[in-house]
Amino acid sequence: MSSIQTLRAIEILDSRGRPTLEVSCELAGGACASAQVPSGASTGKAEAVELRDGDASRHAGLGCRRAVSSVTGPIASALCGRELETQAAVDEMLIAVDGTADKSRLGANAILGVSIAAARAVAVERGVPFYEHLSEMIGESPRALPRLTINLFSGGRHAGGQVPIQDVLLVPASATTIDDGLAMVCAVYKAAAELIHSKYSVRLLTADEGGLAPPFAGVEAMLDDTVAAITAAGLRPGDDMGIAMDVAASHFYDGSRYFISTEPSTADDMIGQVSRWVRDYPIVSVEDPLAEDDWEHWPMIHAALGERALTVGDDLLCTNPARIRRAIETKSCNTLLLKVNQIGTLSEAAEALALARAANWHVTISARSGETEDCWLADLAVGWGADQIKVGSVTQSERLSKYNRLLAIEAATRLPVVDWPRAAVP
Ligand code: PGA
Ligand code: ZN
């Protein structure tokens, strides 16, 4: 790559109306690209830290002007004009300039924006699609498209907490293309919207990621309505359309008890409860069924789910290599939920990916609840060979930009959608 000539950044708004930033990178050879940065709501404790202004008089303290200054000040001074041959060299420099373990000095949001904008500029310079460049970064070439996992119903932090769990997602199991998978999901979403309108007499109130969020009586009602909507759309629950759940259990855990129903639950109760859901519904994947610090019980829930459903670590792992190693050693889960902004740079996320792959885990590449219209996540999921992609629902443009990019990649490459569920994972 030619050296970085100019780095620019501006504050923009994310899909929740909160500030984030867009970073532009121009290389000495003239290639130029930008990247917009997402942001989570159900953030794990071990996540890299975003830099926010803290000025209560503007955007409730969430402004990103200081993060913008990190890019145009210290980061630009350190990177511009330097011979940085690889993405690893760019990212190492970013980590060194920040100097903290959690990226809190310059901000994980500023650092991620530069990491991705620089990678994209190199793809432009090389004249290759971004997914291809990302694939070469990890020494591979794109072989398949990710299986879609798409929000239908939401609760938890994404929907004002009317039910404790965060998301129920659709997995178009029988679809062999992204195109067909999206058509199937749209049919179920429409059926679900009609169902909840007649059942709960509510308008189509949607949660942060576009999931429908009626006042369910409980989690079982949420799952029953999911199955009813799949059937109403003329599809077979399980065979055509599986269900994935994000329990996001860290957010109803007080350090020893889980507040998932009227009475507090123990970890053993949770394991029993989640196992019953997986037994009674066509659930193929369960994310964060226990809290991020409940390391003691994760191996038990993973063993209980066995091969019936994937055990997915989001808050548990935080895309953090040290936490992933621990989870592999303790057999705590078998699927990495990869969010690049949890760790902060592409190179560190690639290390997380490599660890998960070496352990024969599945990998789901995920967006955040606060998203932008930027579509780089779709390229990442294809380039890094993700088994699943998790972006949110099908009604909001910050989600659709990723689905539409996948459709464009599918049309250009004719790559197949990855088989799933594939053979047993440990
Ligand atoms: P977040 O949630 O972006 O609000 O952290 C997404 C998820 O938990 O998968
Ligand atoms: Zn999650």
Side-chain angles (χ1 to χ4, degrees), residues 2-23:
S2 57
S3 60
I4 295 173
Q5 184 160 33
T6 318
L7 282 173
R8 294 192 186 85
I10 56 169
E11 188 188 61
I12 59 169
L13 295 178
D14 74 14
S15 54
R16 301 166 304 184
R18 293 188 194 166
T20 181
L21 68 167
E22 178 183 78
V23 175

Side-chain angles (χ1 to χ4, degrees), residues 16 39-43 47 158 166-167 209 246 248 287 314-315 337 339 366-370 390:
R16 301 166 304 184
S39 168
S42 66
T43 45
E47 286 198 24
H158 290 176
Q166 191 167 283
D167 296 303
E209 297 183 3
D246 184 0
E287 180 179 333
D314 172 15
D315 292 349
L337 194 91
K339 293 168 167 167
S366 173
R368 302 307 304 253
S369 50
K390 181 185 177 208

Side-chain angles (χ1 to χ4, degrees), residues 80-161:
C80 293
R82 279 265 170 88
E83 290 302 321
L84 298 165
E85 292 299 324
T86 59
Q87 184 69 33
V90 171
D91 292 339
E92 272 162 29
M93 186 63 86
L94 285 167
I95 293 164
V97 185
D98 174 74
T100 64
D102 59 7
K103 304 192 172 59
S104 54
R105 194 173 82 82
L106 299 178
N109 42 358
I111 289 172
L112 179 69
V114 175
S115 184
I116 293 178
R120 243 188 189 160
V122 176
V124 172
E125 179 169 82
R126 297 180 55 218
V128 298
F130 193 33
Y131 61 84
E132 205 172 300
H133 179 63
L134 289 164
S135 186
E136 284 171 32
M137 187 188 295
I138 59 162
E140 290 182 7
S141 52
R143 276 178 314 216
L145 305 173
R147 176 78 42 191
L148 299 167
T149 61
I150 297 189
N151 287 42
L152 180 67
F153 292 132
S154 293
R157 281 207 183 172
H158 290 176

Side-chain angles (χ1 to χ4, degrees), residues 46-65:
E47 286 198 24
V49 175
E50 298 171 334
L51 187 61
R52 301 277 180 181
D53 295 344
D55 167 6
S57 67
R58 191 173 171 276
H59 288 296
L62 296 174
C64 286
R65 287 176 172 170

